[in-house]
Amino acid sequence: KTPLRRKYGFLWEHAHWLWYLHKDAPLRPELDAAIQNLGLFSSEHSNHKRTVGVHVRHGDSCHDVYQNHRKCYPLAHHMRLVKKLEDEYGPYDQVFLATDDPKVIEQAKELFRQYKFIFQHIDRNIYEKGDENGVDVRPEFNDPQLVRDIATDIWAMAHCDALVVSFASSVAWVAYELLIARKGHYAPFASIDLAWGHEKNVGRFLEKPNLG
């Protein structure tokens, strides 16, 4: 164990290693511009609005026979957790919605009009295709634009003030780690399924699951 891990735990250490790799990455200026165009600014910026990030992963999660701990939760489930965070920490000005499902975008507009949603305007239909093998073996996801789309969602969530996510997804735990490393402190979150350190995800890297 490193001194940093002994003092603060694996989550804090891993978050700062991730931030070290991202903070000066060549793609960062492009990602910064993309999220500012969405209306996301860091807390010290005059245009900052309190934002909760919501990650709704459907796609292969709905029929992945090899990783059956992944479940397909509806948007309404996530929004109930948003309400719980608001009850605890106060209202948010906007919701950043990251999802691979175009139907979730339409549901957000129709069913939750009391919230201001911001999201990427991208083609999500490609994620509806596929089979039980999941996205990891689909070569089309190596397309540079699709990689940028996913990177932008992660970077945007890392600039929110709180998150409602599925920690069964690596997108979610990478986003949360970047968020707390960027802020320099832990931030409110709610997971719809697993704990951050569950043995099915990050916990497999730990000597003791849930450490940190």
Side-chain angles (χ1 to χ4, degrees):
K1 294 179 182 179
T2 65
L4 184 63
R5 188 184 304 185
R6 281 196 297 269
K7 185 173 183 179
Y8 296 109
F10 183 80
L11 170 54
W12 194 250
E13 179 193 44
H14 198 259
H16 282 79
W17 280 118
L18 274 179
W19 180 251
Y20 176 80
L21 294 173
H22 282 75
K23 65 183 180 69
D24 297 317
L27 191 59
R28 180 171 180 178
E30 181 180 333
L31 295 178
D32 284 341
I35 67 171
Q36 288 182 12
N37 286 336
L38 289 169
L40 278 166
F41 297 88
S42 56
S43 56
E44 63 273 11
H45 197 283
S46 60
N47 291 329
H48 173 70
K49 295 180 179 179
R50 293 190 76 239
T51 307
V52 56
V54 174
H55 180 223
V56 182
R57 180 175 179 176
H58 285 171
D60 62 313
S61 292
C62 300
H63 43 73
D64 190 335
V65 298
Y66 299 104
Q67 301 191 71
N68 55 18
H69 59 284
R70 292 178 175 170
K71 305 297 181 184
C72 221
Y73 295 96
L75 175 62
H77 193 124
H78 297 71
M79 297 310 294
R80 285 197 293 271
L81 294 177
V82 168
K83 180 62 168 61
K84 286 187 176 182
L85 288 179
E86 289 190 312
D87 290 343
E88 184 70 24
Y89 299 102
Y92 294 99
D93 299 312
Q94 57 190 8
V95 178
F96 173 73
L97 183 55
T99 182
D100 54 9
D101 187 346
K103 294 187 289 295
V104 167
I105 300 295
E106 296 307 313
Q107 290 169 4
K109 296 175 182 177
E110 295 172 7
L111 302 178
F112 300 95
R113 295 182 180 179
Q114 68 272 37
Y115 291 97
K116 177 186 177 182
F117 286 93
I118 57 175
F119 47 83
Q120 290 195 80
H121 295 275
I122 57 177
D123 182 9
R124 294 174 171 83
N125 291 306
I126 188 173
Y127 300 107
E128 294 189 301
K129 306 171 186 176
D131 53 31
E132 68 277 2
N133 292 320
V135 299
D136 295 338
V137 296
R138 292 176 60 187
E140 64 266 36
F141 286 116
N142 292 323
D143 178 89
Q145 185 55 55
L146 292 180
V147 172
R148 280 175 168 78
D149 291 344
I150 296 170
T152 299
D153 272 348
I154 292 173
W155 198 240
M157 287 191 287
H159 284 73
C160 292
D161 299 283
L163 293 180
V164 173
V165 296
S166 161
F167 276 144
S169 168
S170 56
V171 166
W173 55 261
V174 168
Y176 185 69
E177 290 186 19
L178 290 173
L179 168 59
I180 64 173
R182 184 185 66 80
K183 281 182 168 291
H185 58 78
Y186 290 104
F189 73 92
S191 174
I192 62 171
D193 45 29
L194 306 181
W196 175 86
H198 193 280
E199 61 184 6
K200 291 289 187 179
N201 52 22
V202 184
R204 66 185 183 271
F205 303 118
L206 306 178
E207 296 177 10
K208 295 180 180 179
N210 296 317
L211 180 66

